[in-house]
Amino acid sequence: MNFDLSEDQIVFQNLAKEFAAKELAPFAAKWDSESYFPKEVIEKAGELGFCSLYVPEEDGGMNLGRLDASIIIEQLSTGCTSTTAFITIHNMALWMLSKFGKEKLKKEWCPSLSSGKKLASYCLTESGAGSDAASIKTTAKKTNDGYIINGSKSFISGSGETDCLILMARTGKEGAGGISCFLIPANSKGIDYGKKEEKMGWKNQPTRIVNLTEVKVPKDNLIGEEGQGFKIAMQGLDGGRINIATCSIGTAQAALSSAQQYMNEREQFGKKIGEFQALQFKLADMTTELVAARHFVRLAANKVDNNHPEATTYSAMAKRFATDVGFNVCNEALQIFGGYGYIQEYPLERYVRDVRVHQILEGTNEIMRMIIGRRMMMEDATNLVQ
Amino acid sequence: MLYSAVIEYALNLCLYYKGIIFMKVLVPIKRVVDYNVKVRAKSDESGVDLANVKMAINPFCEIAVEEAVRLQEEGKASEVIAVSIGTEASQEQLRTALALGADKAILVQTEVEVEPLGVAKLLKAVVEKENPDLIILGKQAIDDDANQTGQMLAALLNYPQGTFASEIELKDGGIEVTREVDGGLQTVSLSLPAIVTTDLRLNEPRYASLPNIMKAKKKPLDVITTEDLNVDVMPRLNTLKVSPPPERASGVIVETVDELVDKLKNEAKVIT
């Protein structure tokens, strides 16, 4: 067993770090305050390969593993959490198309999505179907040459600015088995976007309701088979959870670095505040928990890469743990900055606002506990954690 | 593979006779401490502490690679060869150069810390083997700031040199180099083969993309030794000590203009 990064991983890490430092970090505060969605920067990220990290080469992707992807995403999120989080959602949606889509549809969409020239939104959640995702009401009615889609999707990242929707809709009976997955061009007739939601964080990517009224979709735009949608969604989410957990780790690392630097500069009572043991202990705990969370995320990514039978449980545990740790580390870093942490001149309050949602989306941390808890109640469960 | 190489050779030959494409470019690069790292002198003053320090391609060398790759993309160069002198670890920086677009790489492997004259002698030997039409180097390395290698290489080879380039242009079978000199820009015209050293403003290097990083792994990287080139690289210089610059003292607030003038005259001695 070797816990060191490979030579390749170090090169990937350096590239992502440099990109984050030059192209993301200097602008993140401005994008946040102006709610500006930096599509041109995402396209630049796409030119370097960041928009198709774990998609096979034949679909224009980089063919990396989830662990490699996590190492890259972590560095990107040190520069801008919100932009990076969107890039990961795009990666996940593209992966669904690449893995389960038909050749014709893939030929049409994969090259431009892989290069970041076009962007994808992922549409599962509805106003009445959040944690209980299998209860979605959006319908896809079969016609002679395709489907007609009716319904409404909530909290859709990037919506109104993206080029296609990877959307879950009901083609059959109640429950998970009646759901199918579709690719719908974002400008299709009958699609109507709601107002931009006013959010606590992730402010630089638009979030809207997507209403679909009699939207016609050709039959080739069905991704996978009819009834396979929920399985695709859940499989995508294993990786999605690792990605979001990674965004918390990267942001927390940026917060930790800022706090450490500040403790070496700021003076009160005639000495550096870093000389107070109370703050040293705080920094020690933040560092310890962050390193633990990082390695948990990498472990889960490795399980997904190896198709480990418990990959879903590991992803859920890593997501719960890393997003909680990530939030706490950012929050404690803000505390170290005192009043300066609370004002927008410093990035700390933005870090806190941005990572807060990671405890909610891709399955709330309560849903993560449900997944883990159910698994742990099975007979052989204790073998899982050995 | 062989077939495509033959076609490429034939194509280059045709273009060569048409006078369109002819140039082989050699780019020497150096492995140095990353410019973001705050370096620390060793406590025994024998040098800079390199343990666990991030290393990178020297920024001026990276600019040299970028310029060579641009020449190739514009169809003005036929081949870009990166060469480095150093330990096995320098292969990392050569891979970076390959990922940025160089076609092949050569490592002259040595455990000795080679000084500029030694580097220039080794490069001369490489030039005699590879016969490049143009050699682009960084003007200096950010570790020792010697700023000597390009000039020494030009002298050893008896080639014309254009140092501190902020712009280069191929013209009438030669090369025009705009140089950043005190007080302005100077443009010189060199016949080929020639030596150019890069200044900061020549270009802004690209990122090595993930696909190009992967491709770079398949490009050829030859390793030779200083003995293969028959060059003696034993140090001629003796480093007495390496110590950090004195810590900046805190400033004082002066009460009056007279006091300020007095201090500038008598303490700082910057005016008379």
Side-chain angles (χ1 to χ4, degrees), chain A residues 94-130:
Chain A
L94 170 59
W95 173 82
M96 292 178 183
L97 167 65
S98 160
K99 174 100 177 168
F100 300 101
K102 293 174 187 67
E103 275 314 311
K104 193 180 156 210
L105 187 67
K106 282 168 54 163
K107 268 214 177 95
E108 190 185 341
W109 285 93
C110 279
S112 53
L113 289 171
S114 285
S115 65
K117 284 199 172 57
K118 288 188 177 170
L119 298 175
S121 283
Y122 177 60
C123 308
L124 172 64
T125 298
E126 297 176 1
S127 57

Side-chain angles (χ1 to χ4, degrees), chain A residues 101-206:
Chain A
K102 293 174 187 67
E103 275 314 311
K104 193 180 156 210
L105 187 67
K106 282 168 54 163
K107 268 214 177 95
E108 190 185 341
W109 285 93
C110 279
S112 53
L113 289 171
S114 285
S115 65
K117 284 199 172 57
K118 288 188 177 170
L119 298 175
S121 283
Y122 177 60
C123 308
L124 172 64
T125 298
E126 297 176 1
S127 57
S131 289
D132 184 9
S135 69
I136 58 165
K137 296 270 188 293
T138 297
T139 58
K141 214 172 74 191
K142 200 164 187 170
T143 61
N144 285 336
D145 52 355
Y147 296 85
I148 291 178
I149 299 184
N150 279 289
S152 180
K153 294 286 174 183
S154 298
F155 302 130
I156 304 308
S157 289
S159 57
E161 301 262 7
T162 51
D163 303 278
C164 71
L165 311 174
I166 305 291
L167 180 138
M168 301 296 165
R170 190 166 298 286
T171 47
K173 58 181 191 313
E174 288 284 293
I179 296 170
S180 302
C181 180
F182 296 91
L183 183 148
I184 307 173
N187 57 2
S188 299
K189 201 172 159 226
I191 297 185
D192 169 45
Y193 295 99
K195 73 165 180 62
K196 216 150 117 176
E197 306 282 2
E198 300 285 344
K199 308 190 293 289
M200 174 182 176
W202 277 26
K203 281 164 113 53
N204 85 355
Q205 44 167 308

Side-chain angles (χ1 to χ4, degrees), chain A residues 316-334:
Chain A
M317 289 195 286
K319 192 268 182 185
R320 200 289 291 164
F321 186 66
T323 56
D324 283 351
V325 166
F327 180 77
N328 289 340
V329 169
C330 291
N331 199 30
E332 293 288 10
L334 185 154

Side-chain angles (χ1 to χ4, degrees), chain A residues 8 11-12 14-15 22-23 48 62 64, chain B residues 35 54 207-211 213-214 217:
Chain A
D8 281 354
V11 176
F12 300 157
N14 286 341
L15 170 65
K22 284 190 187 159
E23 313 289 340
L48 299 184
M62 300 302 116
L64 298 178
Chain B
Y35 73 95
K54 191 183 168 209
Y207 298 100
S209 69
L210 291 175
I213 290 171
M214 322 265 196
K217 289 200 286 189

Side-chain angles (χ1 to χ4, degrees), chain B residues 179-249:
Chain B
R179 307 179 60 232
E180 298 200 352
V181 293
D182 284 349
L185 299 171
Q186 179 193 46
T187 305
V188 293
S189 176
L190 315 176
S191 60
L192 296 175
I195 308 245
V196 169
T197 74
T198 65
D199 215 320
L200 204 59
R201 281 155 290 271
L202 181 59
N203 61 48
E204 199 179 321
R206 69 195 67 192
Y207 298 100
S209 69
L210 291 175
N212 288 341
I213 290 171
M214 322 265 196
K215 270 184 222 154
K217 289 200 286 189
K218 292 174 195 145
K219 291 183 180 175
L221 193 162
D222 297 334
V223 180
I224 54 175
T225 63
T226 50
E227 291 78 35
D228 292 339
L229 296 174
N230 204 16
V231 174
D232 170 19
V233 293
M234 286 319 286
R236 264 65 167 172
L237 303 172
N238 186 16
T239 302
L240 300 179
K241 65 171 186 176
V242 174
S243 55
E247 279 205 27
R248 207 176 138 181

Side-chain angles (χ1 to χ4, degrees), chain B residues 56-126:
Chain B
I57 183 169
N58 176 43
F60 293 108
C61 300
E62 198 175 359
I63 291 170
V65 176
E66 175 68 32
E67 198 63 21
V69 172
R70 286 186 192 186
L71 286 174
Q72 192 179 35
E73 284 171 347
E74 290 161 13
K76 293 170 183 162
S78 54
E79 191 181 20
V80 176
I81 306 168
V83 56
S84 190
I85 295 158
T87 62
E88 195 186 351
S90 296
Q91 288 196 19
E92 284 170 30
Q93 281 62 47
L94 286 169
R95 287 287 170 212
T96 306
L98 292 170
L100 289 169
D103 300 297
K104 70 169 193 175
I106 303 166
L107 172 63
V108 183
Q109 195 169 326
T110 172
E111 298 302 315
V112 179
E113 203 180 318
V114 188
E115 291 166 355
L117 183 59
V119 173
K121 285 178 183 170
L122 287 168
L123 291 177
K124 176 174 181 266
V126 173

